[in-house]
Amino acid sequence: MRQLKEAVVATVNQSPLARFLRKILPYRLWVQMGFLLVWLDPLGLRIHTLCGPVFHCYACPLALFGCPIGVIAQFTALHLFPYFAVGILVTVGIFIGSLVCGWMCPFGLLQDVAAKVPTPRFKIPRVLGYFRYVMLLGTVIAVPYFFGEGHPLFICRLCPAGGIEKALPDVVSAAIAGRTIPWPNAIKITVILVFIVAIFFTIRPWCRILCPLGAIFGFFNRFSLFTLDLQEHQCTQCGRCRILCSYGIRPDKTPNADHCIRCLECTQCGPAALNAATLLDDSPHKDDDH
Amino acid sequence: MKTLRIKIVFVLAFMGVGLMAYGLKFHTQPVFSEHNDKGLATPEPRLMKEVSIGGLKRTEDGRLQLTYTGKPPEACPT
């Protein structure tokens, strides 16, 4: 009874942001679809003179902005510094971190939709999440810088987003029209097939193991203005947050872990100990650093 | 600690916006083409557009050159 009372008090004391996010949390998929509508460029503007903050291949005929990872890799291959692309990632990252991954990214949405299919799901060891940094430093920075964009390990040559959004539709449309089929190379075909199989048997495999953009936003989770606030005095160590988390994170220990995509499911834990907040919010534990 | 984090947020946000503004407004690179040996100062947004279609390469003498003449390619070859 005391715990219930404390949970009610905690809920009432939440910041407006926390209350708002708690309200729209059941509709996260719809929010993602709303953003998808924006990224799919319904007005045909094709503003590829800028890049967006999400993973969406600029080769796709339905892409409003350029892909920041593609731009960074291509600029690195040309030995140029991508000021705008780095600037937008730093700016978005420092404000909201990987909230982009959980709520805005179209490639994350694709995997979330596949996760609705009732198939057996295999757990991914959390340590594999560090491979995203290997991808970032290897295929986006080192390989382009030293070997150029022609190397088979150049990110765009491996990226399943390009495969699914451009190569696959090209193959299908050529086959339907009876034209010569523009087959992608063997590596790309393998990546596409592995990705398609993987999204039905584990949750967000690309985001959790390989996504270089997720690595950047995840890195900002520890510093970002938007934060997951753990009220330790509210936490009953019931472990429900760990059950709610599909990504193997322990929100009661590291609420702002770099592996987190900030889907905010853990904020639904019974005692309301985890809340979406900003660093500017007044908190009873304002000197805590989670 | 929280105050330090807020300071970090504002310093990095300032840096990020600064980088974006510099890229959009001031960063240019000379780009050469078959018809242009002098190099046209090309702003970063245009460079982003070109790399998104595989329209730029670095030549052996270190110059940035357009990979096409006339109609630009539809999409990046990768």
Side-chain angles (χ1 to χ4, degrees):
Chain A
M1 194 62 191
R2 186 174 146 266
Q3 281 177 356
L4 181 67
K5 191 179 167 188
E6 281 182 353
V8 170
V9 170
T11 308
V12 170
N13 287 341
Q14 282 169 354
S15 69
L17 174 72
R19 282 201 296 273
F20 172 71
L21 287 173
R22 196 174 279 263
K23 233 181 238 179
I24 64 167
L25 186 55
Y27 309 104
R28 184 169 69 93
L29 208 61
W30 292 100
V31 174
Q32 288 172 288
M33 285 182 185
F35 276 108
L36 176 69
L37 266 183
V38 176
W39 310 132
L40 287 183
D41 194 14
L43 300 177
L45 301 173
R46 257 182 114 69
I47 311 172
H48 290 190
T49 46
L50 301 176
C51 51
V54 293
F55 208 72
H56 187 28
C57 183
Y58 43 50
C60 173
L62 301 173
L64 177 60
F65 297 114
C67 168
I69 292 297
V71 167
I72 290 174
Q74 295 278 7
F75 268 56
T76 308
L78 295 168
H79 294 184
L80 297 174
F81 187 83
Y83 291 97
F84 183 82
V86 172
I88 194 167
L89 296 187
V90 170
T91 308
V92 173
I94 201 60
F95 279 113
I96 57 176
S98 63
L99 197 71
V100 176
C101 308
W103 291 75
M104 294 163 71
C105 181
F107 210 57
L109 170 63
L110 173 70
Q111 296 168 81
D112 281 347
V113 170
K116 300 280 177 199
V117 178
T119 46
R121 299 282 158 179
F122 299 100
K123 283 187 178 172
I124 296 175
R126 222 155 41 96
V127 70
L128 288 182
Y130 291 108
F131 197 69
R132 296 180 306 165
Y133 294 103
V134 177
M135 284 289 285
L136 176 64
L137 296 175
T139 64
V140 183
I141 310 285
V143 167
Y145 188 85
F146 292 111
F147 302 105
E149 61 95 26
H151 196 276
L153 291 180
F154 182 81
I155 181 70
C156 298
R157 296 190 183 276
L158 298 170
C159 177
I164 298 224
E165 294 169 7
K166 175 65 177 166
L168 208 57
D170 277 358
V171 168
V172 172
S173 63
I176 291 170
R179 295 194 308 266
T180 311
I181 295 177
W183 290 108
N185 62 41
I187 296 176
K188 195 91 165 182
I189 291 174
T190 311
V191 168
I192 294 170
L193 290 177
V194 169
F195 173 77
I196 290 174
V197 171
I199 58 175
F200 289 104
F201 293 98
T202 187
I203 296 172
R204 287 210 184 205
W206 172 259
C207 308
R208 294 165 69 189
I209 306 175
L210 297 165
C211 183
L213 188 58
I216 295 170
F217 286 138
F219 173 77
F220 280 110
N221 276 354
R222 290 173 196 277
F223 316 103
S224 63
L225 189 67
F226 179 88
T227 185
L228 266 177
D229 188 28
L230 173 67
Q231 304 283 335
E232 281 177 3
H233 69 291
Q234 289 289 138
C235 182
T236 57
Q237 306 289 329
C238 64
R240 186 163 155 71
C241 58
R242 297 186 190 192
I243 297 167
L244 287 168
C245 180
S246 307
Y247 306 95
I249 291 158
R250 292 168 294 187
D252 54 337
K253 300 286 178 208
T254 52
N256 293 303
D258 54 357
H259 301 82
C260 175
I261 64 150
R262 288 188 165 165
C263 63
L264 306 182
E265 293 292 336
C266 58
T267 59
Q268 289 180 308
C269 74
L274 276 159
N275 289 301
T278 71
L279 290 177
L280 304 177
D281 288 343
D282 282 330
S283 155
H285 291 260
K286 65 193 314 178
D287 291 329
D288 286 359
D289 180 36
H290 300 302
Chain B
M1 201 64 188
K2 189 173 172 180
T3 317
L4 178 67
R5 276 183 68 180
I6 292 172
K7 281 179 187 167
I8 292 173
V9 164
F10 282 102
V11 168
L12 285 177
F14 183 74
M15 269 177 58
V17 172
L19 285 169
M20 283 165 67
Y22 180 76
L24 278 180
K25 285 284 171 193
F26 305 108
H27 181 214
T28 60
Q29 284 287 322
V31 174
F32 299 82
S33 65
E34 279 191 7
H35 307 298
N36 180 4
D37 277 345
K38 286 188 177 173
L40 193 66
T42 308
E44 187 168 317
R46 184 72 204 171
L47 295 173
M48 281 195 275
K49 173 95 177 165
E50 291 296 345
V51 298
S52 75
I53 52 171
L56 282 178
K57 66 176 179 185
R58 180 77 71 179
T59 57
E60 283 181 6
D61 57 358
R63 301 196 312 183
L64 275 179
Q65 189 166 357
L66 282 180
T67 56
Y68 60 89
T69 50
K71 196 183 168 204
E74 277 183 18
C76 173
T78 55

